[in-house]
Amino acid sequence: EVQLVESGGGLVQAGGSLRLSCQASGFSFEAYDIGWFRQAPGKGREGVSCIRALERDTVYADSVKGRFTMSSDNATNTVFLQMNSLKAEDTAVYYCAVDPKSTWLLDWGYSYWGQGTQVTVST
C-alpha cells in the first residue's frame, strides 16, 4: 500500500523559512517522479516542484524558483521541500504525491497523495 505522510508545516513570518518532509512507503521510491503541490483557499492545486526519476533532475514552478529547494533521501524514502524567503502568497496546504505518468507539475498524472500539511505565512 502506497503511503505518503507530510510534516513540517506551520506558521511563519514573511521572509522566514520552513522545511517540509514527506515520508513515502509502499512503492519503489527511486523509480517514480515525486512532486510537491499546494492548494490555497479558493484556488486550484498548483505544482510546486518535482523530482524526475528518469531525467534525474528537479523542476520548479516559476513562482518558487530560487526560493524553494526539493531534495530526497533514498535511504529513508523521504523527500523534502526547503522553503526560504516565504511570502504571504505561499500560504497553502502542501501535498506530496507520486506520479507514474510523468506529468511533472501537472496534477492529473499523480495517483497517490498525502494528507497535506498547512503552511501559513504571516505579514
Side-chain angles (χ1 to χ4, degrees):
E1 178 188 6
V2 174
Q3 286 194 325
L4 300 163
V5 180
E6 302 96 336
S7 61
L11 174 65
V12 63
Q13 287 190 330
S17 299
L18 278 177
R19 189 192 196 207
L20 305 183
S21 299
C22 173
Q23 176 69 58
S25 61
F27 65 99
S28 182
F29 184 74
E30 296 179 61
Y32 294 98
D33 300 345
I34 299 178
W36 282 101
F37 287 78
R38 66 186 181 185
Q39 188 164 20
K43 296 189 177 181
R45 197 155 48 190
E46 175 190 17
V48 174
S49 63
C50 172
I51 290 179
R52 304 193 297 182
L54 182 63
E55 295 79 1
R56 305 184 76 170
D57 65 3
T58 306
V59 294
Y60 297 92
D62 288 344
S63 58
V64 305
K65 276 181 186 175
R67 301 189 298 121
F68 290 11
T69 302
M70 184 176 181
S71 61
S72 66
D73 182 345
N74 294 335
T76 62
N77 286 2
T78 305
V79 293
F80 304 96
L81 186 67
Q82 178 66 44
M83 306 186 294
N84 299 329
S85 302
L86 283 161
K87 306 175 181 179
E89 50 264 43
D90 295 318
T91 294
V93 177
Y94 283 72
Y95 302 88
C96 66
V98 180
D99 174 18
K101 296 184 177 64
S102 297
T103 57
W104 304 339
L105 297 181
L106 301 176
D107 63 355
W108 63 266
Y110 285 75
S111 300
Y112 302 98
W113 295 80
Q115 83 289 348
T117 185
Q118 176 70 48
V119 171
T120 303
V121 183
S122 65
T123 54

